[in-house]
Amino acid sequence: MYPSYLDSYNSGQLRKVSETVFNLLRSCALCPRKCGVNRLNNERGFCRAGVKARVCSYMPHHGEEPPISGTRGSGTIFFSGCNMACVYCQNYEFSQKDEGREFETRELSEAMLNLQSQGCHNINLVTPTHFMPQILKSLELAVPKGLNIPLVYNTSGYESADILRFLDGIVDIYLPDMRYAGNNISAKYSGAPGYPEFNRAALKEMHRQAGLAQLDENGLIKRGLIIRHLVLPNNVSGTEKIMKFVAQSLSKDTYISLMSQYTPYHKANSYKDICRRVNFEEYEYAKMIMERCGLSNGWTQDDRGLERFAGVNIKPLR
């Protein structure tokens, strides 16, 4: 059945996985940080998340990649908090300052159903890592009430491959970042030690589960992996190493979204290497690297179809 989680629900696998993952909150190890706090008692680790999901906003989003947004929008749920702390984060008000409010399991399931009722093509879970257990519990409630559009796991890519294995047969579409090739850089600008190693293992697991992006006759993604790469000034992101990894360790047919939208938000002006926008030459060089690595599927932000792919005005829920 499609989406995959319908089979998992009918077989009882979704409930089993949901219970297992929720119990991991007792000594949280959902992400590479493995803070070990008891979130069932509302203890807080790096991401500041407790036992309930915290949501900034949810809405049909028309500014994602074309196969995600389609013609009716992507049903996007913006979760508050994050397991990274990017000094340039454009969404820092809710990723680091936790704007939004806590949602009960029932309320989150109703948000999913509401987005489906508005005609959205999918449920787009933005920064879901630290709320995976709550998302699965909500999915359990939403399926018998008619939820039947695929999940998009939209992540920074700072993930544990062992935890992602629980999503096999539940998530159809993965939309991860590949942000950095260098460990010192990821620690400096995102407070994310070991990001390249964890990120690469996570993407291998996503690719194993979902495979290459499969688009239908209308150009909508039904299943598969799309990788986002944000080009940073002064080649801080290490684009060449990342593209070589994708081509050699995943597939040259992988879909890449090469983003030029970097803007020095939040604390970025305090860091000389990233205190400006990406210039034309830097972005053209990144495109050349993609081509040199044999990666021809995907989108660049000067493509006509991605003119609006530059963020959205997100109003936090009260």
Side-chain angles (χ1 to χ4, degrees):
M1 297 179 71
Y2 181 81
S4 297
Y5 60 72
L6 295 180
D7 275 337
S8 292
Y9 177 85
N10 290 332
S11 69
Q13 182 66 13
L14 177 58
R15 172 165 292 184
K16 180 180 177 181
V17 169
S18 175
E19 291 175 353
T20 299
V21 174
F22 201 83
N23 283 330
L24 294 178
L25 295 176
R26 195 174 305 278
S27 179
C28 192
L30 291 177
C31 84
R33 295 187 185 280
K34 297 184 177 180
C35 292
V37 297
N38 187 346
R39 288 176 54 190
L40 296 179
N41 288 340
N42 262 334
E43 293 178 7
R44 315 281 170 146
F46 184 92
C47 68
R48 304 168 305 283
V51 69
K52 294 180 181 179
R54 190 173 184 86
V55 174
C56 175
S57 188
Y58 63 91
M59 67 185 78
H61 188 355
H62 297 273
E64 301 281 44
E65 288 81 358
I68 302 289
S69 289
T71 56
R72 301 193 303 271
S74 177
T76 306
I77 303 175
F78 294 91
F79 291 97
S80 305
C82 186
N83 69 340
M84 294 173 66
C86 301
V87 298
Y88 51 83
C89 183
Q90 67 177 352
N91 296 326
Y92 68 91
E93 292 94 344
F94 60 89
S95 69
Q96 296 181 36
K97 294 187 175 182
D98 300 333
E99 285 191 355
R101 62 175 177 83
E102 290 186 335
F103 269 39
E104 300 289 345
T105 304
R106 172 193 52 78
E107 197 172 7
L108 184 55
S109 71
E110 289 172 352
M112 296 177 183
L113 291 164
N114 178 280
L115 291 166
Q116 178 173 277
S117 73
Q118 293 186 62
C120 294
H121 299 289
N122 46 62
I123 301 297
N124 187 346
L125 305 164
V126 180
T127 321
T129 310
H130 51 308
F131 291 127
M132 184 196 295
Q134 294 86 345
I135 291 167
L136 294 178
K137 287 286 187 185
S138 298
L139 187 62
E140 274 192 85
L141 295 182
V143 171
K145 293 182 179 179
L147 188 73
N148 61 6
I149 53 177
L151 301 181
V152 179
Y153 195 84
N154 184 343
T155 169
S156 68
Y158 196 37
E159 299 276 356
S160 165
D162 289 340
I163 300 299
L164 288 173
R165 290 188 185 99
F166 287 113
L167 298 179
D168 195 2
I170 296 172
V171 169
D172 282 299
I173 302 164
Y174 282 102
L175 184 61
D177 290 341
M178 286 200 80
R179 194 78 62 84
Y180 304 109
N183 186 47
N184 291 339
I185 295 295
S186 68
K188 179 178 180 179
Y189 294 118
S190 292
Y195 179 96
E197 177 185 356
F198 288 112
N199 182 246
R200 291 181 179 198
L203 266 77
K204 285 182 178 180
E205 175 59 20
M206 294 175 190
H207 185 264
R208 183 193 70 80
Q209 288 182 29
L212 297 170
Q214 301 171 24
L215 310 185
D216 68 12
E217 64 277 8
N218 297 313
L220 289 172
I221 185 169
K222 305 299 290 182
R223 181 175 173 82
L225 173 69
I226 295 174
I227 298 172
R228 286 176 166 171
H229 178 62
L230 179 65
V231 180
L232 294 173
N234 294 301
N235 195 32
V236 163
S237 42
T239 299
E240 185 167 7
K241 289 182 179 179
I242 286 172
M243 296 303 161
K244 283 183 176 178
F245 167 81
V246 174
Q248 296 171 6
S249 299
L250 300 180
S251 169
K252 289 184 178 180
D253 293 323
T254 301
Y255 279 73
I256 304 288
S257 179
L258 190 70
M259 301 187 295
S260 63
Q261 70 190 52
Y262 174 76
T263 304
Y265 286 104
H266 197 27
K267 303 175 182 178
N269 284 324
S270 299
Y271 297 81
K272 64 181 180 64
D273 285 341
I274 59 168
C275 65
R276 60 169 174 82
R277 298 203 63 173
V278 173
N279 61 40
F280 177 81
E281 289 76 17
E282 288 169 327
Y283 190 64
E284 287 298 304
Y285 181 67
K287 288 167 63 177
M288 183 189 72
I289 289 172
M290 270 187 66
E291 294 169 4
R292 186 187 297 164
C293 290
L295 297 164
S296 57
N297 286 335
W299 307 269
T300 56
Q301 278 197 302
D302 53 355
D303 285 344
R304 184 176 180 181
L306 274 184
E307 286 177 352
R308 297 182 61 199
F309 181 47
V312 64
N313 183 23
I314 303 162
K315 296 179 180 179
L317 295 166
R318 302 298 182 190

